[in-house]
Amino acid sequence: MEILMSILIGFLFMAAVYLILSRSLLRIIIGTGLLSHGTHLLLLTMGGLGGKAAPVLSDGVTDYADPLPQALILTAIVISFGVTAFSLVLAYRTYNELGTDNMDLMKGTEDND
């Protein structure tokens, strides 16, 4: 299962880097979203996939899952959602002001710098 997750994580990272290196602002935002999803899967895989026990300690329980990777992933999901929402609003505002989402056309000229 870990090998399948590693292949999926590699594919997500590959697609994210491809999209981040493009010229469209929307593709860059989608690429950062894919990169964050790949990171979440990486954290989940590094925490271990074979645990069947709950991440709760009670009296007499000797077998339990480590809750730290799950807490890190939950925090990362919330942060990536906030960053993506901010980026989408910023891209929408930029498109309304400039009329394009092409990064090459957004560069300033020597007169405007």
Side-chain angles (χ1 to χ4, degrees):
M1 185 67 173
E2 284 86 5
I3 293 175
L4 179 65
M5 291 295 283
S6 300
I7 293 170
L8 180 63
I9 291 166
F11 180 75
L12 283 175
F13 281 168
M14 175 196 64
V17 169
Y18 175 75
L19 288 173
I20 288 173
L21 293 176
S22 67
R23 294 183 179 145
S24 174
L25 192 58
L26 188 59
R27 283 183 169 200
I28 293 171
I29 294 171
I30 293 171
T32 57
L34 282 178
L35 189 67
S36 68
H37 287 307
T39 305
H40 300 156
L41 285 176
L42 179 66
L43 287 173
L44 182 68
T45 305
M46 294 300 291
L49 298 174
K52 293 187 181 1
V56 179
L57 287 177
S58 61
D59 295 334
V61 174
T62 58
D63 186 29
Y64 60 92
D66 187 16
L68 184 62
Q70 297 170 6
L72 285 174
I73 291 169
L74 183 61
T75 305
I77 288 170
V78 171
I79 291 171
S80 67
F81 177 73
V83 168
T84 303
F86 176 74
S87 300
L88 284 172
V89 169
L90 191 63
Y92 179 72
R93 177 80 174 144
T94 302
Y95 183 76
N96 282 342
E97 289 292 322
L98 300 176
T100 184
D101 70 338
N102 191 345
M103 296 298 286
D104 288 338
L105 298 176
M106 287 186 201
K107 292 180 183 176
T109 61
E110 292 181 13
D111 298 336
N112 294 332
D113 285 341

